[in-house]
Each structure stands twice: as C-alpha cells, then as structure tokens.
Amino acid sequence: MSYSLKENLMKEERLAGGHRMCAGCGSPIAVRTILRALEPEDKAVVCSATSCLEVSTFMYPYTSWKGSFIHNAFENAAATISGVETAYRALKKQGKIDDSYKFIAFGGDGGTYDIGFQSLSGAMERGHDMVYVCYDNEAYMNTGIQRSSSTPHFADTTTTPAGKVIPGKMQQKKNLTKIMVAHGIPYAAQTTFIGNFKDISEKAHKAIYTPGAAFLNVMAPCPRGWRYPSEKLMEITKLAVETCVWPLYEVFEGKYTLNYRPKEKKPVVEYLKTQGRFAHMFKPGNEWMIEEVQKEVDRNWEDLLKLSEL
Amino acid sequence: MGIRERLSGNEAVAYAMKQINPDVMGAYPITPSTEIPQYFSAYVDNGEVDTEFIAVESEHSAMSTCIGAQAAGARAISATSSCGLCYMTEMLYVAASDRLPITLAVSCRALSGPININNDHSDAMGVRDTGWLMLFAENNQEAYDNYLQAMRIGEAVSLPIMICQDGFITSHAIENIELVETEKVKEFVGKYEPQHFLLKKDEPMSVGAYATSVYYMEAKRQQAQAMIDAKEVIKKVGAEFGKITGRTYGLIETYEMEDAEEAILIIGSSAGTAKEAIQELRAQNKKVGLIKIRSFRPFPSEEIAEALKHVKAFAAMDKDDSFNAHCGPIYAETCAALYAAGIHEPKGINYIYGLGGRDVRVESIQHVFAELEKIVQTGDTGETYRYLEVRE
C-alpha cells in the first residue's frame, strides 16, 4: 500500500490535543507521527523519560495519552519500557492477557544521549521487542537550554554561552545513531519532518513492526533553544537534510541505506543562519567556525556515503 | 509438616521465590546478594518457574524494570546489597509513590568507603525513608518466612517491601531450615490481582504523573496512611503464617522482657547473639532482656514504648551511623517513640556496633549490659552516643 499523508491523518489520535507543549516544537509532532504508524488494531504502552514531553502531557489529574502510558524518571525510559514489555511476555505466556501490544519509549537527547545512555544501551543489547525514540532537540530544553552531548559544535546554550573567550560549545555532536547501530539491533534509523512525512512514517512503521529492539533518532527542533520563529520548523528540518547536517538513513540488520540524497548539497551556512543559537558564528572574524562545521558535515556525509555503498 | 533442609539465607530466599513463581525478575549482581539472582536464573533456565528474568546492566535499571513490570500488572522482584541499593534509591521512591508492591530481597552490607563487602545495616538504613516496608530477619528461617509473607503484606497496602537479612552472616551461612510445602506457599501467597494496570483490557492507565503542589502533598499523605495501615496487616499476615507453620510473627519480638530492668534493642542476626548473652546473664540472676525489631518500616513505636516502659535502662544498637554527631536511627526513633508515649523514666544509650562486618560476640553484648547496669546503679547515663569495641 502506498503512503498517503491524508489517509494517515484520518487515523485516531493517540496523543490528545490540549497538552502544554510549545507551538513550533518538534516533539509532539514526532510523537503523533510515530504513534500513527501503529496499526489501528494494535495497542501500545508508551513510556516517556522526564522531559518537556512528559511534564506537558501528564500533569495530574490530566493525561493526554489515550492509551496506557508510564513515566518513571529521567534516565530510565528504556529500562522501564523493557520491564513493561517483559511483563507483557510473562503475562501473555501464562494466558493472563490476550491483547496485542507494542512498546514505545520517548526521550529527549538529554535523557537519551547522556543520562539515559546506559539504560538505553542495556535495553537495546537485551533485545526487547520495543522502539526507543529520541526526539533530538540538541540540548536540555526542559531545564532551560543547557548543552548535551547532542548539542552541535559552537552552539550557544546556557552552559556553553558564546563568550569572549569560549565561543559556544567546543565539542562536536555525538553520533548516537551509529552507536545504536553498533549494538547490532535489527533496525536503527535517523529521520525528521520532511515534505509529506513519508520518511518518518515509514521508518516508524518499520521500527515498530520489526521484531526486537529498534531505535529512531528524530531531529525535533525547539523554537526557544534554537531561536527560530515557530512557523519556520519545517524549513529548518528541510535545510538540515539538504545541507547533510542531519542525513536521512536507516540501518536494517547492519545494512546502511541512505534514504535521501540532495540533488545539490547546500552549504551548511544556509542551515546555521536560520537559528539564533548560531548567530555568533556570523560575526566578523568567526568565519573559521563556519568553515570548521562545514568540514565536519562533509566528513560525516562522506562516511555515510561509504557505509551506504557497502 | 514442613520440609527439613539445610540452606544458606540467599538460597532460602531464592527457594521462596521459586515457590511463589513471580512473573518478572530484574536483577544485577552484587556481593553478597549475587547468589539470589544466580540461583533464580537457574530455575528460570531449567523451566522450573514461569518467571521472565531480565539481566539488566545496573541496579538502577533493575528497579526501573521492576517498576515497569509491576505497573504492567506483573509481580516483580529483585535482589541487591550495599551500593546496589544506593544506586536504585531514586527508583525506590518512585516505586513507593506509584504504589507498586514490588518485593526486594536485601542482603545487607556496608557502604563504601572504605570499600567493604561485609555486613552492617548502612545500606538498608540509608533507604529507610523511601516509603518501602522493611522487614529484617535474625536467621535463615526468618529470611525465608519473611519472604513468603512479603507479597501478602505489600499487596494489601500497595507498598513495595524489602526483605532484609544480614550479608554473609545469614546470606552465606548454612543453617537448618524448615520449608513450607509449595502448594501451601501458593495458597498462602495467592494470586496478584491488581485493580489497575497498564495492560488491563479496555482500561488504559497513565502512571507516574507530574503532580504540582496542589496534589503532591495528598499523594504523600496517602503513602503515609498506607504505612500506618501496614502495621495491622503485618501482624495479621504473621499470625496467619503461624497457623500454617507454627511460626508466628509480629512487628517486634520480645525476649525475656517480662521483668527486664535492662534491655537492648537490636535488628538482624545479632539478636541471636544477644539471646545467648541474655541466657548467660539470666543464669546469673540479671534481669536483662531483648527487643528485636522485625519491622523497621512501619516503625513499631507503640509496641516498643510498651515493651520499654518498665525498664530502667536500655541500649539501642545501631549497625550503622547517621553521622549526625548524635545517634543512629534506632536510638532516634526509639526515643521518639518513648517521648510520644509519655514515657520518660528509662535511661537510654546508643551503641554503633558491627560496622563493616566487625564481629559481634556474646561478650560484646554482655559488655553493653554491664554498661547498662552501671547506669542503673549510678543513675548517671554518661555519653549516650557510643561506639562498641572500636580502637580509638
């Protein structure tokens, strides 16, 4: 069956509107899109790490989650959902339940790349039948825009302010998707919001319906932390892909596939100039920073091309 | 009649787990509780239980998987010690506030540093305010018996429960033990039938809400009530257990307390040593007795006050220190219990003892009683915060 955004949007929402996430935030868009990839007859237990997503969607006595949902703590969404998934297998084996469930965890980059990294690695290695989704907004946005290991090089955050001596974050972004691939899980992919959402929707479906542990890394911009007008969200994700800052690819049983190859790779400056967090890189004398980022993007892109040609 | 066996405390607890046949175990190795998941995973791999075993990458994840599993509608268990218990502390609070009756076996061990693998109660006492029920065992039989009662108690009040025993002293020492027939165990423990759970048909559920100041305090008050209610449940379950085994349990055990003028309060395996010391002193016509605290959470304040009201002097024995320049937790809570009951006559001192596996001998306990006798004779309590048998 061919993909149709229109048909997809006819599906019942699993995250109710009226939650408290900001306009122009990528996180709820990622959640709703991924949950739409569930077959209508399937139930899901969703887990969220402590994050903007969690505190904005489940404030007692209200919940936006139409299906079962569990929040435990910041660093353990992967372990928590692995416990739920194990209980499901145990209860199903004993005939105590008969419904068909899927298990999906969401975490921000702080809860995934950093503090939740061990829990994630453990769950992926154990191979639970689950999907872990990182909604990657490249900093600790819930606590007020502090740098994480996912924050890109030179970005201005509240713990890596663009100062007179140190001009923003001095380290490159950690390549978590590759680290997840190195776990030997059956499916890992990187995606974001592009065009009619075909890429993210198809990857979500594969991740959910591939038996075993799967990992999705979704670039999900944050208007406050990245400093862009909220209506520019889709322009920014598109530029991230067109400049190869955030390539769309998937790895199925170890085989890399590049899902989109820009006809003409745009210079990284096109992406950087859309966001206030990179504004200091455009000051006279800072051209070297943009040049350095361009080199890093080029190198990562070449690596990815080689991997996908293997 | 029960089955006579010889088992270590860890084996006994693992055997109790096997008899109960829970749904999920999430556990991580740490000395001296390692044997529990080790024995249990052999039961799993040999198909002797239906349990799914999750060999997690840390204690933090062990408790996190238990929270997920119990919330999903399963009976979840774990085992740990020492730094492992510290590492899961954050999640212990969540388990209690989510009102998930998880069962955790703890083989108590000292905390680093200096690093030390031997017994004291620093680990368990360090998590005493996490909202978990906590039962302590004197010997292997009690560790086993307490484990069999754990789920009945925890599930009745919707609180998680820790079954503590002394690392190595009971966890590794082999003792004669009387096991309960598995059929009787299953009947006694019963099935876990939670009212609400994540996988319940046609009733989705959200667990782990963000609670603002408008709701947070009510949630805590309900936890406090569950802990209060647990006192009667522990006694009821202990009495019912007595009916099938002849071994009845309460919140505390008193030993030679009827006419005691001097008493010690103690937790865990040293109670056995204290009983021996008391027998010898009783033979010398000394009016000495023992209060063994089985349930530290809930704290049996009324029972302890009642047991102490006629003594002239007591020593609260803490196998850990609060490092408050004042006293350990048993002394603090015992004094609070007496004060709340309006009892001011007994003179009380505190001993910090047995840290990091420091041997506690019959003579050690007799020394404590000799000090109490001195206090009674002179009327002078002296220093209340004391270390037992330490080089200084």
Side-chain angles (χ1 to χ4, degrees), chain A residues 89-103:
Chain A
R89 278 187 283 118
L91 298 179
K92 196 141 194 187
K93 181 173 75 180
Q94 296 170 59
K96 291 180 181 170
I97 50 172
D98 56 11
D99 289 319
S100 179
Y101 277 92
K102 299 292 170 186
F103 303 91

mmCIF file of all heavy atoms in Angstrom, chain A residues 89-103:
data_model
loop_
_atom_site.group_PDB
_atom_site.id
_atom_site.type_symbol
_atom_site.label_atom_id
_atom_site.label_comp_id
_atom_site.label_asym_id
_atom_site.label_seq_id
_atom_site.Cartn_x
_atom_site.Cartn_y
_atom_site.Cartn_z
ATOM 1 N N ARG A 89 5.217 -10.209 28.032
ATOM 2 C CA ARG A 89 5.551 -11.574 27.594
ATOM 3 C C ARG A 89 5.205 -12.592 28.675
ATOM 4 O O ARG A 89 4.668 -13.662 28.387
ATOM 5 C CB ARG A 89 7.037 -11.661 27.237
ATOM 6 C CG ARG A 89 7.335 -11.142 25.830
ATOM 7 C CD ARG A 89 8.781 -11.406 25.438
ATOM 8 N NE ARG A 89 9.687 -10.465 26.067
ATOM 9 C CZ ARG A 89 10.659 -10.781 26.910
ATOM 10 N NH1 ARG A 89 10.867 -12.038 27.234
ATOM 11 N NH2 ARG A 89 11.442 -9.857 27.427
ATOM 12 N N ALA A 90 5.517 -12.231 29.934
ATOM 13 C CA ALA A 90 5.251 -13.162 31.044
ATOM 14 C C ALA A 90 3.755 -13.413 31.200
ATOM 15 O O ALA A 90 3.313 -14.560 31.332
ATOM 16 C CB ALA A 90 5.837 -12.601 32.342
ATOM 17 N N LEU A 91 2.960 -12.346 31.143
ATOM 18 C CA LEU A 91 1.516 -12.488 31.361
ATOM 19 C C LEU A 91 0.848 -13.162 30.164
ATOM 20 O O LEU A 91 -0.081 -13.957 30.319
ATOM 21 C CB LEU A 91 0.877 -11.120 31.638
ATOM 22 C CG LEU A 91 1.368 -10.399 32.901
ATOM 23 C CD1 LEU A 91 0.691 -9.039 33.055
ATOM 24 C CD2 LEU A 91 1.121 -11.235 34.158
ATOM 25 N N LYS A 92 1.357 -12.863 28.971
ATOM 26 C CA LYS A 92 0.778 -13.463 27.766
ATOM 27 C C LYS A 92 1.058 -14.968 27.742
ATOM 28 O O LYS A 92 0.179 -15.771 27.428
ATOM 29 C CB LYS A 92 1.340 -12.784 26.520
ATOM 30 C CG LYS A 92 0.508 -13.072 25.281
ATOM 31 C CD LYS A 92 0.376 -11.870 24.373
ATOM 32 C CE LYS A 92 -0.730 -12.136 23.361
ATOM 33 N NZ LYS A 92 -0.839 -11.115 22.345
ATOM 34 N N LYS A 93 2.280 -15.327 28.101
ATOM 35 C CA LYS A 93 2.681 -16.742 28.139
ATOM 36 C C LYS A 93 1.793 -17.535 29.096
ATOM 37 O O LYS A 93 1.448 -18.683 28.837
ATOM 38 C CB LYS A 93 4.145 -16.787 28.620
ATOM 39 C CG LYS A 93 4.791 -18.140 28.718
ATOM 40 C CD LYS A 93 6.279 -18.024 29.044
ATOM 41 C CE LYS A 93 6.515 -17.649 30.498
ATOM 42 N NZ LYS A 93 7.940 -17.530 30.869
ATOM 43 N N GLN A 94 1.410 -16.890 30.181
ATOM 44 C CA GLN A 94 0.571 -17.565 31.168
ATOM 45 C C GLN A 94 -0.919 -17.445 30.861
ATOM 46 O O GLN A 94 -1.753 -17.887 31.651
ATOM 47 C CB GLN A 94 0.837 -16.970 32.563
ATOM 48 C CG GLN A 94 2.254 -17.182 33.066
ATOM 49 C CD GLN A 94 2.523 -16.371 34.337
ATOM 50 O OE1 GLN A 94 1.849 -16.544 35.349
ATOM 51 N NE2 GLN A 94 3.474 -15.464 34.279
ATOM 52 N N GLY A 95 -1.246 -16.803 29.724
ATOM 53 C CA GLY A 95 -2.654 -16.682 29.328
ATOM 54 C C GLY A 95 -3.434 -15.673 30.151
ATOM 55 O O GLY A 95 -4.664 -15.698 30.184
ATOM 56 N N LYS A 96 -2.727 -14.770 30.848
ATOM 57 C CA LYS A 96 -3.430 -13.800 31.689
ATOM 58 C C LYS A 96 -3.934 -12.593 30.898
ATOM 59 O O LYS A 96 -4.792 -11.853 31.377
ATOM 60 C CB LYS A 96 -2.512 -13.324 32.821
ATOM 61 C CG LYS A 96 -2.224 -14.411 33.869
ATOM 62 C CD LYS A 96 -1.313 -13.891 34.972
ATOM 63 C CE LYS A 96 -1.001 -14.973 35.992
ATOM 64 N NZ LYS A 96 0.060 -14.566 36.938
ATOM 65 N N ILE A 97 -3.361 -12.351 29.716
ATOM 66 C CA ILE A 97 -3.836 -11.271 28.842
ATOM 67 C C ILE A 97 -3.861 -11.784 27.403
ATOM 68 O O ILE A 97 -3.116 -12.717 27.069
ATOM 69 C CB ILE A 97 -2.953 -9.996 28.914
ATOM 70 C CG1 ILE A 97 -1.471 -10.356 28.733
ATOM 71 C CG2 ILE A 97 -3.145 -9.244 30.208
ATOM 72 C CD1 ILE A 97 -0.567 -9.156 28.601
ATOM 73 N N ASP A 98 -4.708 -11.168 26.565
ATOM 74 C CA ASP A 98 -4.758 -11.660 25.180
ATOM 75 C C ASP A 98 -4.625 -10.562 24.125
ATOM 76 O O ASP A 98 -4.564 -10.834 22.941
ATOM 77 C CB ASP A 98 -6.037 -12.484 24.946
ATOM 78 C CG ASP A 98 -7.296 -11.710 25.268
ATOM 79 O OD1 ASP A 98 -7.200 -10.487 25.478
ATOM 80 O OD2 ASP A 98 -8.373 -12.328 25.318
ATOM 81 N N ASP A 99 -4.550 -9.302 24.568
ATOM 82 C CA ASP A 99 -4.402 -8.212 23.592
ATOM 83 C C ASP A 99 -2.996 -8.198 22.997
ATOM 84 O O ASP A 99 -2.071 -8.751 23.559
ATOM 85 C CB ASP A 99 -4.662 -6.859 24.263
ATOM 86 C CG ASP A 99 -6.133 -6.674 24.603
ATOM 87 O OD1 ASP A 99 -6.974 -7.056 23.771
ATOM 88 O OD2 ASP A 99 -6.425 -6.178 25.702
ATOM 89 N N SER A 100 -2.878 -7.522 21.840
ATOM 90 C CA SER A 100 -1.579 -7.385 21.195
ATOM 91 C C SER A 100 -1.047 -5.970 21.435
ATOM 92 O O SER A 100 -1.686 -4.987 21.082
ATOM 93 C CB SER A 100 -1.750 -7.658 19.699
ATOM 94 O OG SER A 100 -0.519 -7.509 19.062
ATOM 95 N N TYR A 101 0.094 -5.902 22.069
ATOM 96 C CA TYR A 101 0.676 -4.603 22.447
ATOM 97 C C TYR A 101 2.014 -4.358 21.782
ATOM 98 O O TYR A 101 2.789 -5.290 21.531
ATOM 99 C CB TYR A 101 0.909 -4.547 23.964
ATOM 100 C CG TYR A 101 -0.302 -4.164 24.774
ATOM 101 C CD1 TYR A 101 -1.159 -5.150 25.273
ATOM 102 C CD2 TYR A 101 -0.571 -2.837 25.070
ATOM 103 C CE1 TYR A 101 -2.273 -4.807 26.044
ATOM 104 C CE2 TYR A 101 -1.680 -2.484 25.834
ATOM 105 C CZ TYR A 101 -2.516 -3.472 26.323
ATOM 106 O OH TYR A 101 -3.605 -3.124 27.078
ATOM 107 N N LYS A 102 2.302 -3.084 21.547
ATOM 108 C CA LYS A 102 3.627 -2.627 21.128
ATOM 109 C C LYS A 102 4.159 -1.700 22.217
ATOM 110 O O LYS A 102 3.365 -1.136 22.986
ATOM 111 C CB LYS A 102 3.540 -1.885 19.787
ATOM 112 C CG LYS A 102 3.015 -2.750 18.654
ATOM 113 C CD LYS A 102 4.009 -3.846 18.310
ATOM 114 C CE LYS A 102 3.407 -4.865 17.359
ATOM 115 N NZ LYS A 102 4.331 -6.005 17.155
ATOM 116 N N PHE A 103 5.468 -1.555 22.252
ATOM 117 C CA PHE A 103 6.092 -0.797 23.343
ATOM 118 C C PHE A 103 7.024 0.269 22.787
ATOM 119 O O PHE A 103 7.960 -0.043 22.047
ATOM 120 C CB PHE A 103 6.825 -1.765 24.276
ATOM 121 C CG PHE A 103 5.891 -2.808 24.814
ATOM 122 C CD1 PHE A 103 5.720 -4.022 24.152
ATOM 123 C CD2 PHE A 103 5.109 -2.537 25.922
ATOM 124 C CE1 PHE A 103 4.802 -4.952 24.604
ATOM 125 C CE2 PHE A 103 4.184 -3.460 26.388
ATOM 126 C CZ PHE A 103 4.026 -4.676 25.721
#
